[in-house]
Amino acid sequence: MQKQAEFPEAIKTKYPEQIVIAVARDKNGKANPITLGWTMLVSGKPPMMAIAVASTHYSIETIRHSKCFCLAFPSSEMADAALFFGSKSGRDIDKFAEFDCKIAPAEMIDSVLLSDAVANFECTLESETIAGDHIIFVGRIVASHISTETQKRLYTVGPGHKLGSVS
Amino acid sequence: MQKQAEFPEAIKTKYPEQIVIAVARDKNGKANPITLGWTMLVSGKPPMMAIAVASTHYSIETIRHSKCFCLAFPSSEMADAALFFGSKSGRDIDKFAEFDCKIAPAEMIDSVLLSDAVANFECTLESETIAGDHIIFVGRIVASHISTETQKRLYTVGPGHKLGSVS
């Protein structure tokens, strides 16, 4: 049976929620990673993924500038990186300079891959749509990469940015 | 370390993937549920969620007609319903007539809630965007409901529509 609830209470039932790290270069060439929980696949042929980014975030500028981004599925070992990239702003710091995270050049777009991620998807910007306090960016996947090792994906497993793997 | 992979191979790293069941009425008033894995939150204030629905699916017509939909988070007990609603077309059958699934009227929109779900979100249609072979519908959440019992959410845990709970 159902009972009415306020949205903030009801949405706590969403966990575990998948995490991605989106990376785009700003106008100075600095690659800027942001951790996002709001992401989904949106097309099979051609393959496309979407992310929702808060309108005030620096990543909005970087994605609009470079018109492409990489989406990494962080591994369960990357919780500290995910928390760092998700809590600092690229307006203030160079996140990759301040947090030790192995990166490699993307192959088809001007961005970077996270070497220790479960997978990386190189995307060209397909569209953007305003949705309330966020912008939905749709990316067309032009190259895909997976880890050479078997790894588990990272999830938000509960409120308060509690991160971990699931099984 | 990363190695290049074809997209269909690389995307197998996405699991577990959350499931929602979207319900919208068609022009004859028939409530039509569809099971979807491609969903995300897109706004906090006001609260909004998005779903991506294959362009050929009957649900496209139902959502466009009624301009609203309910999003249910099915419980881990609802795997059979999720598979049925995800594999049949509302063009051919009345899914709620053919599969026993408790429903209740929505409160703020003309749709139905799934009584045994973990949560239900009533949405008014905010926007639609074409993305490859799918349409992204954004819904503004105007009412939320949660189960009176503690339940686990249903996920796709592996390829081939393998459904289950996660922990």
Side-chain angles (χ1 to χ4, degrees), chain A residues 43-115:
Chain A
S43 176
K45 285 184 184 176
M48 295 185 187
M49 263 190 268
I51 50 176
V53 182
S55 308
T56 54
H57 283 184
Y58 187 59
S59 291
I60 300 284
E61 293 172 39
T62 67
I63 293 170
R64 283 181 176 159
H65 167 75
S66 57
K67 295 185 172 45
C68 61
F69 52 90
C70 273
L71 286 186
F73 290 176
S75 79
S76 56
E77 318 263 286
M78 293 172 69
D80 289 346
L83 284 170
F84 186 84
F85 297 156
S87 58
K88 305 289 180 182
S89 173
R91 273 196 196 93
D92 307 323
I93 62 163
D94 180 340
K95 298 187 197 180
F96 282 132
E98 296 207 12
F99 193 97
D100 187 28
C101 176
K102 263 188 257 172
I103 56 176
E107 297 196 359
M108 300 292 286
I109 65 170
D110 184 18
S111 187
V112 301
L113 312 176
L114 304 193
S115 305

Side-chain angles (χ1 to χ4, degrees), chain A residues 133-154:
Chain A
D133 54 15
H134 281 59
I135 309 269
I136 300 172
F137 291 107
V138 172
R140 181 188 289 241
I141 296 163
V142 294
S144 308
H145 311 262
I146 55 175
S147 175
T148 53
E149 293 161 71
T150 304
Q151 287 177 311
K152 300 202 84 170
R153 202 173 160 187
L154 186 67

Side-chain angles (χ1 to χ4, degrees), chain B residues 78 80-81 84-85 95-103 116:
Chain B
M78 293 172 68
D80 290 345
F84 186 84
F85 298 155
K95 298 187 198 180
F96 283 132
E98 296 208 11
F99 193 97
D100 186 29
C101 176
K102 261 187 259 172
I103 56 176
D116 295 330

Side-chain angles (χ1 to χ4, degrees), chain B residues 43-56:
Chain B
S43 177
K45 284 183 186 177
M48 294 185 188
M49 264 191 268
I51 50 175
V53 182
S55 309
T56 55

Side-chain angles (χ1 to χ4, degrees), chain B residues 33-46:
Chain B
I34 185 172
T35 307
L36 302 167
W38 297 1
T39 181
M40 63 176 177
L41 277 155
V42 291
S43 177
K45 284 183 186 177

Side-chain angles (χ1 to χ4, degrees), chain A residues 1-7 9-11 13-18 37-52 73 107-108 113-122 126-127 129-138 141-149 151 153 155 165-167, chain B residues 1-7 9-11 13-18 37-52 73 107-108 113-122 126-127 129-138 141-149 151 153 155 165-167:
Chain A
M1 218 176 73
Q2 301 288 298
K3 62 176 178 189
Q4 209 160 6
E6 293 301 313
F7 174 76
E9 183 63 26
I11 202 58
T13 59
K14 73 175 178 172
Y15 302 105
E17 183 180 67
Q18 293 145 335
W38 297 1
T39 181
M40 63 176 177
L41 277 154
V42 291
S43 176
K45 285 184 184 176
M48 295 185 187
M49 263 190 268
I51 50 176
F73 290 176
E107 297 196 359
M108 300 292 286
L113 312 176
L114 304 193
S115 305
D116 295 329
V118 175
N120 284 271
F121 300 90
E122 302 184 24
E126 187 76 12
S127 70
T129 306
I130 296 171
D133 54 15
H134 281 59
I135 309 269
I136 300 172
F137 291 107
V138 172
I141 296 163
V142 294
S144 308
H145 311 262
I146 55 175
S147 175
T148 53
E149 293 161 71
Q151 287 177 311
R153 202 173 160 187
Y155 287 75
S165 63
V166 299
S167 55
Chain B
M1 218 176 72
Q2 301 288 300
K3 63 178 178 188
Q4 209 158 6
E6 294 301 312
F7 174 75
E9 183 62 25
I11 202 59
T13 59
K14 74 175 177 173
Y15 301 104
E17 183 178 68
Q18 292 146 335
W38 297 1
T39 181
M40 63 176 177
L41 277 155
V42 291
S43 177
K45 284 183 186 177
M48 294 185 188
M49 264 191 268
I51 50 175
F73 290 176
E107 297 196 0
M108 300 292 287
L113 312 176
L114 303 192
S115 305
D116 295 330
V118 175
N120 284 271
F121 300 90
E122 302 183 26
E126 185 77 12
S127 70
T129 307
I130 296 171
D133 55 15
H134 281 58
I135 309 269
I136 301 172
F137 292 107
V138 172
I141 297 162
V142 293
S144 308
H145 311 262
I146 55 174
S147 174
T148 52
E149 292 161 71
Q151 288 177 310
R153 203 173 157 184
Y155 286 75
S165 63
V166 300
S167 55

Side-chain angles (χ1 to χ4, degrees), chain B residues 15 19 35 79 83 86-87 155-164:
Chain B
Y15 301 104
I19 290 174
T35 307
L83 284 169
S87 59
Y155 286 75
T156 306
V157 294
H161 303 298
K162 197 178 159 200
L163 307 187

